Amino acid sequence: MSNLRFQVVEEAFKKHALEVETPSKRPSEYFGKYVFDRKKMFKYLSKEVYDKLVDVIDHGARLDRSIADEVAAGMRQWAIEMGVTHYTHWFQPLTEGTAEKHDAFVEHDGKGGMIEKFSGKLLVQQEPDASSFPNGGIRNTFEARGYSAWDPTSPVFIIDDTLCIPTIFIAYTGEALDYKAPLLRALHAVGKAATDVCSLFYDNVTKVQVNLGWEQEYFLVDEGLYSARPDLMLTGRTLMGHESAKNQQMDDHYFGTIPDRVQAFMKDLEIQALELAIPCKTRHNEVAPNQFELAPIFEECNLAVDHNMLLMSLMKKVARKHGFRVLLHEKPFDGINGSGKHNNWSLSADNGVLLHAPGKTPEENLRFVTFIVETLMAVYKHNGLLKASIMSATNAHRLGGNEAPPSIISSFLGTQLTELLDHIEQSEKKELFNLKGKQGMVIDIPQIPDLIVDNTDRNRTSPFAFTGNRFEFRAPGSSVNCASAMIALNSAMAESLNCFKERVDALIAKGEDKIVAILEVLKEDIKICKPVRFDGNGYSEEWVKEAEKRGLDVERSCPVVFKHYLDEDSIKMFESTKVMNRKELEARNEVKWEMYVKTVQIEARVMGDLSMNHIIPVATHYQSQLIKNVQGMKSVFNTEKAERLSARNMKLIEEIAERTERIEQLVEELTDARRVANRISDIEQRAVAYHDTVCPHMEAIRNEADHLEMIVEDGLWTLPKYRELLFIR
């Protein structure tokens, strides 16, 4: 194995950037080449069917099954012209990945031959085995039927020779077994609630859309080096490894010149992404060595989620072509920045107004304040739930350090907006408005200048920061499906807006003026949600104590945090917005606990294997060399001189013996802790046991192994070191 390490290092240094052919056309011309977009729909469908399908996409009209055959025929014709031979329902089970089963277009022609056929029935609905995916007990092997159903709001696309049809995935009994189904419900709920609130300010809003712009961070590691690290291959992160003498402390990687091999990968990735209508906008070096970021232009939330899932799959494929492996784990390397997936979230009305953006009139700024405050109300009331929506065994390693936000969910607003909300809260009703003759009511809310977009500082420790015309949810991890956070946030926002509208309507029904009613409710909500506003240092211990006093969730145990999905307030919120019911929530939590256990279990097994088959053998081999040296010194020098000259080696021999002994003992304790935890039948308590008893042993083993790495001769060490993983490009 020691030879393998140096062999892959040598090969990595010899690699050069691949030549990537630049398309002859401009990006705007090949954008969406492999997507059945509206231009292609118009070409391959009759006008009547096209209009009906567009009505479904734009206005949420119910899909008329009678048009399915013609839509399928149009898709098939386009796909065959593009060289496609298969189709698949492409869905997002609770694995944080995507799933697909490819079927050929062929059918028997009844004459001993085959014909190419694709019916509306096959487009609209299929029946995958639901028991083979994470389902929290909703489906069993003896009752395995599930349904995948076409989502017409997300365009069909082509990958290689396969037509991919975005679908939801539900159980035979109707419960959601994926991320897309509850996401679509949450988007519908918040869209309707926001449209109702907009009626207080505009008479021309009929639809509100949720926008999402994600920022995908990732690491690239040479494929050879990756293959020589069993922990990276099996867990996605390095379970041991001493930090490099140089890492990110010089701040020279962030926004630096992109390495040639990486530039070629990025170019290839962007071309293929644009052909799939993923609107890639930004690429750059991130803070940590060999860490990078890709960000698109924001899109409608459901489509943005699909595009992120598609991009992560595409990244893995393109990376291998260029001799890399892409690491999407939130914390693949200890001691340097981890990778997140910031979710830039906003609401926009169909009259062109961005609802989280300030306006140019007092009335528009009242709308702005309303949506800001009700967002804060959602984050405050469901603080623990939002934390649970982004928590995982992998993201837990990232949160709370190295520029990642802490696990306490608070919101940074900036000085100007904070002062505005304080002004409204502290003012008397008569101070906030006055009547000025025929001009009507003038609201005393200071004009928000256009400069506000750039007038808020950047607080990298804030998990949920206002950034001028949107909120940036920075806590989600790089490997996850954005839908998890978006389901929780949009559902909570829908509940908050519904509650706001009900209270305003009640005051108006009592004869209160509309503006006065809005201000009264806002004043009350500003005061209620004030504890969630925090502009300070989220890393400080003082903030942890202060947050607990404010009633915010400060729990750090991942399995315990998951339980917020089953808080009565959470269940009531999800059921009132018709996003998920109690049974679905209980099932999802069971999946979360089970995934946590399996993740840590795999890591613990790999840790034991590396310790016993790599670390201890290499360390004892080096120890044997030291012992021979000491013995040799005694044969050359007199006893006193030999002892003096061998003192350092004797100290190392003793330290190696003690550390390898501790590792062996800790591995035994780790195995015992797993056995005890595995005997716990309740999955929640088993997850807690893994967190409380298994994880600490892994940290202790890593500490010993990392010390040995600095002692053992470099030529004997079998695992590629951090300096090689992070600086060979």
Side-chain angles (χ1 to χ4, degrees), residues 198-333:
C198 280
S199 68
L200 297 170
F201 305 98
Y202 308 101
D203 57 9
N204 62 341
V205 172
T206 60
K207 180 183 178 182
V208 170
Q209 173 179 290
V210 180
N211 304 309
L212 171 63
W214 40 264
E215 302 170 22
Q216 181 68 59
E217 295 177 340
Y218 60 96
F219 282 85
L220 286 176
V221 172
D222 181 83
E223 189 169 33
L225 297 171
Y226 173 91
S227 67
R229 289 287 311 216
D231 48 358
L232 274 181
M233 291 179 66
L234 297 176
T235 73
R237 73 181 181 106
T238 53
L239 298 176
M240 52 185 65
H242 197 282
E243 67 177 355
S244 171
K246 179 188 177 184
N247 46 52
Q248 64 187 43
Q249 67 266 52
M250 299 299 291
D251 299 323
D252 56 349
H253 191 258
Y254 190 55
F255 281 19
T257 302
I258 300 172
D260 290 344
R261 282 181 66 198
V262 177
Q263 179 83 1
F265 158 78
M266 289 180 169
K267 179 180 178 181
D268 201 353
L269 175 65
E270 282 190 10
I271 291 170
Q272 294 189 45
L274 290 170
E275 289 177 336
L276 289 166
I278 304 173
C280 300
K281 175 73 172 178
T282 302
R283 65 189 187 198
H284 63 83
N285 288 3
E286 258 298 337
V287 172
N290 272 0
Q291 186 187 32
F292 308 95
E293 179 180 300
L294 182 152
I297 302 169
F298 72 88
E299 301 177 278
E300 184 276 325
C301 185
N302 176 47
L303 182 58
V305 169
D306 283 0
H307 278 166
N308 181 247
M309 297 305 293
L310 180 55
L311 182 91
M312 288 194 290
S313 177
L314 191 61
M315 289 171 76
K316 295 173 184 177
K317 177 182 175 183
V318 176
R320 295 196 69 171
K321 175 182 172 183
H322 289 260
F324 288 118
R325 287 300 182 103
V326 64
L327 304 182
L328 295 174
H329 193 289
E330 285 75 7
K331 195 74 170 178
F333 303 103

Side-chain angles (χ1 to χ4, degrees), residues 151-168:
D151 170 20
T153 64
S154 185
V156 168
F157 57 92
I158 293 171
I159 296 290
D160 296 326
D161 64 353
T162 303
L163 183 71
C164 301
I165 304 159
T167 58
I168 64 169

Side-chain angles (χ1 to χ4, degrees), residues 134-199:
N135 59 73
I138 288 178
R139 297 277 84 192
N140 296 301
T141 306
F142 64 88
E143 47 182 9
R145 177 172 287 175
Y147 293 122
S148 56
W150 175 37
D151 170 20
T153 64
S154 185
V156 168
F157 57 92
I158 293 171
I159 296 290
D160 296 326
D161 64 353
T162 303
L163 183 71
C164 301
I165 304 159
T167 58
I168 64 169
F169 181 42
I170 60 173
Y172 175 72
T173 46
E175 295 87 2
L177 298 175
D178 69 342
Y179 283 110
K180 182 183 275 284
L183 175 64
L184 290 172
R185 296 171 191 160
L187 296 178
H188 174 75
V190 76
K192 184 179 184 304
T195 301
D196 290 344
V197 171
C198 280
S199 68

Side-chain angles (χ1 to χ4, degrees), residues 8 23 69 82 93 110 150 261 332 680 722:
V8 296
D69 280 332
M82 298 295 289
W150 175 37
R261 282 181 66 198
I680 300 173
Y722 270 28

Side-chain angles (χ1 to χ4, degrees), residues 557-570:
S557 169
C558 188
V560 174
V561 170
F562 288 154
K563 199 161 186 179
H564 283 299
Y565 272 97
L566 301 180
D567 290 346
E568 285 305 315
D569 282 347
S570 299

